[in-house]
Amino acid sequence: MNEKPDSDRCPLRPLSEQQREQRAGDSGGQPLLELDANANPFSVYLNADTLHSLQEFRTKAPAEPSFFIVSQVQDLLFHLAYVEAAQARDQLDLDDLDGALWTMRRLKRVLNVLVATWEPLSSFSPQDFAEFRDALGEGSGFQSFMYRKLEFVLGLKKRSMADMHAKDPQVHQALREVLDAPGLYDAVLRLLHRSGLPVPDDVVNRDWAEEYSERDEVTEAWRQVYASPHHHRATFELAELLTDIAFDFGRWRTTHMLTVERLIGSKAGSGGSSGVDFLRRVADHRFFPELWAVRAGL
């Protein structure tokens, strides 16, 4: 989680439940109003001084702070979503289905927040965005390596998306590690395989860096789950949570596309893409394809 070494952090004094109750009693239930100099505990915990030093706006355009800060928030939420997805994957590999379901509920809420982050940007007029767009240069959200880690762990694997960062060895290595590891859906299919559902051996033993391809046998495995949800209650809940996650990610992509179209119409993107036409193709992608295919036969 990119924690700082202890030597670089102002120490926080842990408090027990008993100590918290004692403090509340001593203060009459009011919050503490006296803080040590340079040691605001919550600011220390969050590294808030560093966090709020990272907003370096490039222009005087009134709308740029919204774009800049919302984009930073989105990147942090990509990180959180990645952490939750990776944790759910690991829990599934340990056969901790209950724990994975709980983690995936958090992941779904994170994705809901991500969708909502487009609200401030969708309020821009084309003129608002044009006032600072040139300052982006060739910068594009497509270049976010944290977004790419999230796509990788959810199952959209493309070597080229890791290798575009090859000139940044640390980022490239981090992306290759996620690319080469099983994703969340891989862990789900391995769980189904272990439970006796008809997921083929070559689906659960493959090159994880290769993009996953839809399989009729996996669709049949999910059909069995959906045909008897009471018999496969936890697996059915898993399937629906996965569909929620794919649905919410699709909402994020579609809202992204519509927001960009509202701001620049059919203009080319900053990072070399065709802009909205490219985003429309991206928005058509669905994670966990057999969960969408199975619906046609229910």
Side-chain angles (χ1 to χ4, degrees), residues 8-290:
D8 293 342
R9 302 181 66 166
C10 182
L12 287 173
R13 297 188 296 273
L15 289 181
S16 67
E17 190 65 35
Q18 181 179 4
Q19 288 173 312
R20 285 190 289 272
E21 292 291 342
Q22 180 65 48
R23 287 187 173 217
D26 292 344
S27 68
Q30 298 300 309
L32 299 175
L33 299 179
E34 184 177 339
L35 299 174
D36 294 337
N38 302 317
N40 179 324
F42 195 65
S43 293
V44 170
Y45 178 76
L46 289 182
N47 291 319
D49 289 347
T50 299
L51 178 65
H52 294 298
S53 72
L54 299 177
Q55 288 76 51
E56 298 180 5
F57 310 131
R58 311 293 177 170
T59 73
K60 299 295 185 181
E64 189 189 7
S66 287
F67 180 85
F68 197 105
I69 293 173
V70 167
S71 297
Q72 287 186 326
V73 168
Q74 286 183 344
D75 225 50
L76 289 171
L77 289 170
F78 295 151
H79 188 179
L80 177 56
Y82 165 76
V83 168
E84 299 286 25
Q87 180 170 308
R89 173 200 62 196
D90 296 344
Q91 289 168 318
L92 289 168
D93 278 340
L94 294 172
D95 288 318
D96 181 9
L97 180 53
D98 288 342
L101 291 172
W102 196 254
T103 300
M104 289 167 64
R105 291 188 188 99
R106 291 199 305 269
L107 172 57
K108 171 179 167 52
R109 298 301 179 91
V110 174
L111 294 176
N112 286 338
V113 175
L114 262 168
V115 174
T117 59
W118 289 117
E119 289 294 320
L121 306 188
S122 67
S123 71
F124 288 10
S125 70
Q127 291 87 344
D128 288 334
F129 188 51
E131 283 188 291
F132 65 88
R133 189 187 183 204
D134 289 351
L136 290 174
E138 294 179 330
S140 166
F142 178 81
Q143 298 155 1
S144 167
F145 66 86
M146 195 55 70
Y147 175 81
R148 205 59 60 193
K149 285 181 72 173
L150 176 57
E151 279 200 332
F152 283 179
V153 78
L154 290 179
L156 183 55
K157 301 285 190 77
K158 292 183 182 293
R159 293 178 192 272
S160 60
M161 296 297 100
D163 291 343
M164 67 181 283
H165 297 277
K167 293 183 179 179
D168 186 335
Q170 185 174 358
V171 169
H172 188 227
Q173 177 63 27
L175 286 171
R176 283 306 305 258
E177 288 175 2
V178 184
L179 182 74
D180 293 337
L184 174 61
Y185 195 48
D186 296 315
V188 169
L189 296 183
R190 293 195 292 190
L191 179 74
L192 267 58
H193 180 78
R194 292 195 299 274
S195 71
L197 287 163
V199 175
D201 289 342
D202 65 324
V203 168
V204 297
N205 295 289
R206 64 185 188 87
D207 182 353
W208 305 121
E210 293 295 327
E211 185 173 1
Y212 179 78
S213 296
E214 183 178 337
R215 295 284 296 270
D216 290 342
E217 301 97 320
V218 174
T219 302
E220 170 58 22
W222 285 123
R223 190 200 63 76
Q224 293 185 25
V225 172
Y226 275 86
S228 184
H230 298 294
H231 179 68
H232 300 283
R233 181 174 296 277
T235 308
F236 175 76
E237 185 178 354
L238 175 63
E240 284 296 283
L241 262 175
L242 285 168
T243 308
D244 284 343
I245 289 166
F247 180 85
D248 289 333
F249 209 105
R251 286 200 302 137
W252 188 89
R253 287 165 160 167
T254 300
T255 310
H256 180 192
M257 180 267 293
L258 289 171
T259 301
V260 171
E261 187 170 18
R262 178 171 181 163
L263 297 184
I264 66 170
S266 59
K267 293 177 181 177
S270 300
S273 79
S274 59
V276 171
D277 286 344
F278 171 78
L279 293 176
R280 188 171 285 112
R281 293 194 298 273
V282 171
D284 283 340
H285 171 266
R286 296 290 178 268
F287 291 106
F288 326 134
E290 292 90 356

